[in-house]
Amino acid sequence: MEYVIETTAVSKIYGKKSAVNKVSMHVRRGDIYGLIGRNGAGKTTLMKLILGLVRANEGSIRLFGSNNLDEGRKKVGSLVEIPGLYKDATAYENLSRFSLLFGTPQEEIQPLLEFVGLGDTGKKKAGAFSLGMKQRLGIAVALLGNPEILILDEPTNGLDPAGIKEIRDIIIELKNKGVTFVVSSHLLDELGKVATTYGIMNNGVLVEEISAEELRAKCRKSIKIVVDDVEKAKAVLTERHPEIHLETAEGSLKIFSDVDDLSEENKALVQEDVRVYEIVTTNESFEEFFIEKVGQEQ
Ligand SMILES: Nc1ncnc2c1ncn2[C@@H]1O[C@H](COP(=O)(O)OP(=O)(O)OP(=O)(O)O)[C@@H](O)[C@H]1O
Ligand SMILES: [Mg+2]
């Protein structure tokens, strides 16, 4: 498999602290790679390493299957931390200045502004934009030159639900045009829903890299049954469903297979003198999976 971004045991050490610790990440073309981790997990530093904004202490990075990072980075757009916009300039003027700086064609500007929903902001200065508008302008800057990869550091941070949706829609539309994304988030927010692969970071370490599909399978549906006699309940249920996948805990058991009619199970248990106090159907959420990987917040 060829990856458009591949890091191999890459590390960045500040003083004695490994901000990024031997991270091997794999981004496939067309991915929306969700880089998830709490404050200080190392997300921004990893992005800066990929972009060449900081130097790695060890490890290697490949872009588009090549070690020629200068070439590769020409095809990578980014919005990392606060976009450095010209506050006293309009949206158009901002893009125009960055376009000159990057040497990209001016004809791109108006279509880009319209694409991010800033086509009619006219004379309004970027300094007077809402946070969501600033983020969208920042994304437009990142899109100059038609990059194949976009690296966005917490693009929805601080936005309201409507603002988050706007950013998410932009990402989906670009993905459909073939753009690959690395998007970070410390919250398991709306953005999480569009990712195709997750990289979960904790304390500088990439603790898990998992496709959305695998994750969905892991966060499968389960049925928790609270009873007075777990062993007996287990025997009854296993007798009825030999193929059942079941886990027991103190005072309850969990079934992971689909059982059509829960009232039938309830009846069978009661007939065998098992007291059923509660039956709850749950989906382990991504949030729970995440906490399992990185621990509770201190
Ligand atoms: N320039 C720097 N000098 C010293 N330490 C740094 C520097 N940049 C980052 N760090 C440290 O490295 C660790 C990782 O920081 P980083 O900003 O990459 O995390 P993050 O996941 O982006 O966090 P956040 O969600 O707060 O943005 C933190 O402990 C941070 O204090
Ligand atoms: Mg950060």
Side-chain angles (χ1 to χ4, degrees):
M1 164 81 64
E2 189 181 289
Y3 299 104
V4 290
I5 302 175
E6 183 178 16
T7 72
T8 308
V10 81
S11 298
K12 176 68 194 174
I13 300 159
Y14 287 116
K16 283 186 183 154
K17 187 175 168 67
S18 292
V20 168
N21 191 353
K22 293 193 168 49
V23 166
S24 298
M25 86 181 306
H26 307 85
V27 183
R28 289 167 301 189
R29 189 175 286 280
D31 257 352
I32 298 179
Y33 190 103
L35 195 58
I36 317 281
R38 295 217 171 95
N39 290 128
K43 306 176 297 291
T44 301
T45 306
L46 179 57
M47 290 178 153
K48 286 181 174 172
L49 285 166
I50 296 166
L51 293 166
L53 300 173
V54 295
R55 270 177 97 85
N57 293 89
E58 57 171 345
S60 61
I61 299 172
R62 291 168 74 82
L63 292 174
F64 305 100
S66 157
N67 292 322
N68 188 341
L69 299 181
D70 288 340
E71 261 322 294
R73 282 175 184 140
K74 289 182 188 161
K75 296 186 275 183
V76 182
S78 67
L79 176 57
V80 172
E81 292 183 329
I82 309 127
L85 301 170
Y86 300 101
K87 290 193 177 65
D88 59 345
T90 66
Y92 189 95
E93 288 161 357
N94 261 280
L95 280 191
S96 177
R97 289 184 196 179
F98 281 106
S99 176
L100 283 172
L101 210 62
F102 302 158
T104 54
Q106 298 275 314
E107 296 76 59
E108 273 185 13
I109 297 174
Q110 194 54 33
L112 259 180
L113 282 176
E114 274 154 31
F115 177 70
V116 298
L118 296 174
D120 55 8
T121 51
K123 293 201 168 85
K124 194 169 180 143
K125 303 274 200 280
F129 281 10
S130 71
L131 188 58
M133 290 165 79
K134 283 182 188 151
Q135 285 292 30
R136 282 183 278 137
L137 184 53
I139 290 176
V141 172
L143 281 169
L144 285 168
N146 271 314
E148 291 178 33
I149 300 177
L150 261 194
I151 297 186
L152 306 178
D153 193 13
E154 311 222 28
T156 58
N157 204 6
L159 300 187
D160 60 16
I164 292 174
K165 187 178 180 306
E166 282 164 357
I167 302 281
R168 198 181 58 193
D169 290 347
I170 289 173
I171 291 175
I172 293 172
E173 208 168 324
L174 288 166
K175 178 205 156 52
N176 291 339
K177 288 184 182 164
V179 178
T180 303
F181 283 88
V182 179
V183 184
S184 71
S185 177
H186 66 274
L187 292 168
L188 300 164
D189 57 18
E190 287 293 296
L191 216 53
K193 291 182 192 159
V194 299
T196 57
T197 301
Y198 297 95
I200 300 180
M201 281 194 91
N202 191 33
N203 239 330
V205 177
L206 189 68
V207 290
E208 180 89 29
E209 197 172 58
I210 186 170
S211 73
E213 229 164 86
E214 287 172 283
L215 184 62
R216 265 192 288 276
K218 281 202 176 179
C219 299
R220 69 222 142 140
K221 191 173 153 189
S222 68
I223 302 156
K224 183 180 172 191
I225 307 181
V226 183
V227 293
D228 64 341
D229 188 338
V230 173
E231 283 312 309
K232 196 162 173 190
K234 183 179 173 183
V236 173
L237 292 167
T238 325
E239 163 110 37
R240 289 171 55 79
H241 306 278
E243 78 300 343
I244 205 163
H245 175 58
L246 165 161
E247 275 169 20
T248 57
E250 180 91 29
S252 70
L253 26 82
K254 257 189 187 175
I255 308 173
F256 293 99
S257 347
D258 269 326
V259 174
D260 298 336
D261 188 350
L262 286 171
S263 69
E264 284 299 316
E265 307 311 315
N266 187 26
K267 197 165 125 196
L269 288 166
V270 171
Q271 269 168 4
E272 295 294 328
D273 276 338
V274 178
R275 277 176 178 267
V276 179
Y277 299 116
E278 208 181 347
I279 299 182
V280 208
T281 309
T282 53
N283 266 59
E284 187 187 1
S285 65
F286 180 38
E287 189 118 14
E288 286 166 288
F289 178 81
F290 176 74
I291 288 167
E292 196 182 302
K293 292 290 161 197
V294 308
Q296 287 284 352
E297 201 150 14
Q298 309 294 305

